[in-house]
Amino acid sequence: MSNPFRQLPAVDKLLEAPEIKQAAGDLSRPEIAAVIRRELEEIRRELAQGQRGLNPEEITARVTRQLKRRNLSRFQPVINATGVMIHTNVGRAPLPEHALQRLQDLGRGYFNLELDLASGSRGSRYAGVSQLFSALLGDEGERNDTVVVNNNAGAVLLVLKALTAGSEVIVSRGQLVEIGGGFRVPEVMGASGCQLVEVGTTNRTRLSDYAQAITAQTKAILLVHPSNYTIVGFTEAVPREQLAQLAEEHGLYLIEDLGSGSFTPFPEPRVSTALAHSHIVTYSGDKLLGGPQAGIISGRRELMAQIKKDPLLRALRIDKLSLIALEAVLELYLKKEYASLPLWALANLPAEKVKARAEKWLHALGPGLQGEVVASSATMGGGSLPGEELPSWALALASPNLSAQELLAHLRSSRPPILARIVQDRVLLDPRTVLPEQDQEVAALLQKGVRPCS
């Protein structure tokens, strides 16, 4: 009997196979070789365990599958037809053209990231955006300063560590939320070194609950906006105005995690409104603000000076590219050019225009696809505007050749991938979350249709 290990092809031979070259796409030769070696090693282990040997075509097919998976793991454009505006899995808010241009202009070379051009000495990377935030905040901008870190969880962590480490912080039980990725407010608080004090119940917390929990060790009250859920029915919560008065009476900080936050025009609690009562407010850059991933901290100047001195700021600080994009987005807000923000433009697209786009897709359907345009609803997503829905229309797709799950996978495997959702055993494509310039790509992909499963 022949030795099955000797039947394995050489790496160099597989590198030259036409099927493998085609599956590799734009992968570099070292990456392709690494995939081949790993797959051959796996086959050797299987042979050592007594499994049957594979012929050359089977080996090539296995390597080809792995190369295709490797290609899928690379960042690439996708078409978001899910109806979720701020979709965490696909990068949340799309950046406006103004931010992309600034990234290209500044990111391609050197720029004054931490250089004071007036004096020639080292400056602060936060100076520019801090001035822009102050202008956006209006009257509140005079007594507040702003610093930016990598995300909002980091912002909350930094604020609590810098201002409350070793002390008690009071939070309503109804606000001990869990955000995406399994991160929970109590865990973030624990990591900061403060001691969590829970008050009230899940659905009802009164001012007296906060007042009775205050001790000599209490340093702050933390108000967390329930950005990714709603509690309805028999509920009670304490307005920030009352909490601010209680905090002032006892010499405490009122720290508010707004989650998404808003300046205008979205109907979330506005940053300026929160800062009129809270000492420190944290919020995200890539949600309702419509910018890059960022955790923004705005608050009283004397407290912000203390936060800036904390060593954790260095570890959590925002990177230069995100900072460039954030600055550009803030400029659009100051100019009130909201329509230049893709998130704002998509959210405010009239429903009849959404319907017209879905009807164009319907007319493009190729063989093996059936559809109709149906009334639908989109959501903001990303932990923003929980419970709120945007009226929309969608193309409901079905196929006699594929199940709904198979059709969903088929669309996801297209180039570029189309992401959709299943409702009542049909695949829904919602134009409200599809960038207008991607309409032709959607139509072209639908025109190809689907073939029967062999």
Side-chain angles (χ1 to χ4, degrees):
M1 295 179 64
S2 60
N3 186 341
F5 292 94
R6 292 183 178 179
Q7 305 303 315
L8 297 178
V11 173
D12 289 343
K13 184 177 180 180
L14 287 172
L15 280 168
E16 299 304 320
E19 303 93 331
I20 287 178
K21 285 185 175 181
Q22 182 178 2
D26 293 330
L27 295 178
S28 65
R29 189 177 178 87
E31 288 178 286
I32 303 169
V35 170
I36 292 172
R37 290 191 184 95
R38 278 199 297 271
E39 196 60 29
L40 290 176
E41 185 59 35
E42 179 62 27
I43 294 172
R44 289 190 184 95
R45 282 197 293 268
E46 293 172 2
L47 292 174
Q49 294 170 1
Q51 298 186 33
R52 73 171 183 86
L54 303 178
N55 61 44
E57 290 76 17
E58 291 173 320
I59 294 174
T60 300
R62 283 182 55 158
V63 173
T64 297
R65 285 195 297 270
Q66 293 303 321
L67 288 170
K68 289 180 178 178
R69 289 176 183 171
R70 181 70 169 261
N71 267 315
L72 288 175
S73 68
R74 292 293 184 88
F75 289 146
Q76 57 189 286
V78 300
I79 296 173
N80 176 21
T82 62
V84 181
M85 306 291 299
I86 304 174
H87 199 309
T88 300
N89 295 352
V90 294
R92 291 185 176 170
L95 290 176
E97 187 62 36
H98 180 52
L100 298 175
Q101 187 61 52
R102 288 291 292 278
L103 282 167
Q104 183 174 344
D105 293 342
L106 296 179
R108 73 195 324 167
Y110 302 107
F111 68 101
N112 57 321
L113 175 65
E114 292 185 351
L115 174 66
D116 185 332
L117 290 173
S119 65
S121 59
R122 180 163 186 162
S124 167
R125 69 173 55 201
Y126 310 109
V129 293
S130 176
Q131 292 169 1
L132 292 172
F133 275 114
S134 292
L136 276 173
L137 290 169
D139 294 340
E140 289 300 326
E142 294 299 318
R143 61 172 180 167
N144 291 294
D145 192 11
T146 298
V147 74
V148 187
V149 294
N150 58 359
N151 62 28
N152 191 47
V156 175
L157 175 64
L158 174 60
V159 169
L160 291 175
K161 179 182 179 298
L163 301 181
T164 70
S167 302
E168 295 176 352
V169 176
I170 302 172
V171 189
S172 166
R173 285 188 174 89
Q175 296 175 4
L176 295 176
V177 301
E178 177 178 316
I179 61 178
F183 294 98
R184 298 176 173 180
V185 167
E187 294 170 355
V188 173
M189 294 180 68
S192 73
C194 72
Q195 181 180 344
L196 165 65
V197 177
E198 302 177 25
V199 297
T201 63
T202 302
N203 60 321
R204 305 199 81 184
T205 303
R206 301 179 179 87
L207 185 64
S208 59
D209 294 323
Y210 288 96
Q212 292 169 9
I214 296 173
T215 70
Q217 286 73 46
T218 306
K219 196 66 175 285
I221 297 171
L222 177 62
L223 181 60
V224 182
H225 180 61
S227 56
N228 58 359
Y229 74 101
T230 56
I231 299 178
V232 296
F234 190 58
T235 65
E236 184 177 350
V238 184
R240 70 165 64 85
E241 294 85 352
Q242 294 182 23
L243 286 178
Q245 184 176 350
L246 180 67
E248 183 178 0
E249 291 172 357
H250 292 270
L252 308 178
Y253 301 134
L254 179 58
I255 300 169
E256 185 166 359
D257 173 14
L258 275 182
S260 294
S262 177
F263 285 90
T264 183
F266 291 111
E268 275 275 291
R270 295 194 177 181
V271 177
S272 56
T273 302
L275 280 172
H277 305 282
S278 299
H279 295 87
I280 296 288
V281 175
T282 70
Y283 45 105
S284 296
D286 56 348
K287 293 186 178 181
L288 292 184
L289 194 65
Q293 177 178 304
I296 304 162
I297 308 169
S298 297
R300 304 292 187 268
R301 291 187 177 277
E302 64 276 13
L303 298 180
M304 293 303 299
Q306 189 174 336
I307 290 170
K308 286 180 179 180
K309 293 178 182 178
D310 195 286
L312 189 59
L313 175 58
R314 174 80 178 186
L316 296 176
R317 70 180 183 179
I318 189 172
D319 75 281
K320 64 178 184 179
L321 298 181
S322 297
L323 198 56
I324 290 171
L326 179 60
E327 183 180 77
V329 168
L330 296 177
E331 290 171 354
L332 294 177
Y333 270 90
L334 285 170
K335 296 175 183 177
K336 300 187 184 302
E337 296 179 4
Y338 307 128
S340 297
L341 297 164
L343 184 65
W344 166 248
L346 291 171
N348 285 276
L349 190 66
E352 59 269 21
K353 290 190 176 182
V354 178
K355 184 179 182 181
R357 293 172 66 190
E359 288 172 341
K360 287 183 179 180
W361 295 350
L362 175 63
H363 296 320
L365 294 186
L369 286 175
Q370 303 166 347
E372 66 171 323
V373 174
V374 299
S376 181
S377 60
T379 59
M380 191 57 69
S384 303
L385 303 182
E388 296 285 336
E389 293 186 342
L390 300 173
S392 192
W393 291 83
L395 173 60
L397 284 180
S399 172
N401 305 321
L402 303 173
S403 68
Q405 286 290 349
E406 289 170 336
L407 181 54
L408 193 71
H410 169 79
L411 293 171
R412 197 172 59 246
S413 65
S414 62
R415 291 293 174 271
I418 300 178
L419 306 182
R421 71 183 193 271
I422 295 176
V423 177
Q424 295 181 348
D425 208 34
R426 292 193 295 182
V427 174
L428 263 58
L429 277 66
D430 191 332
R432 184 172 289 284
T433 53
V434 176
L435 301 175
E437 59 267 27
Q438 295 176 320
D439 274 6
Q440 290 185 345
E441 289 181 290
V442 175
L445 290 167
L446 293 175
Q447 196 169 32
K448 294 178 181 178
V450 294
R451 296 180 180 179
C453 295
S454 56

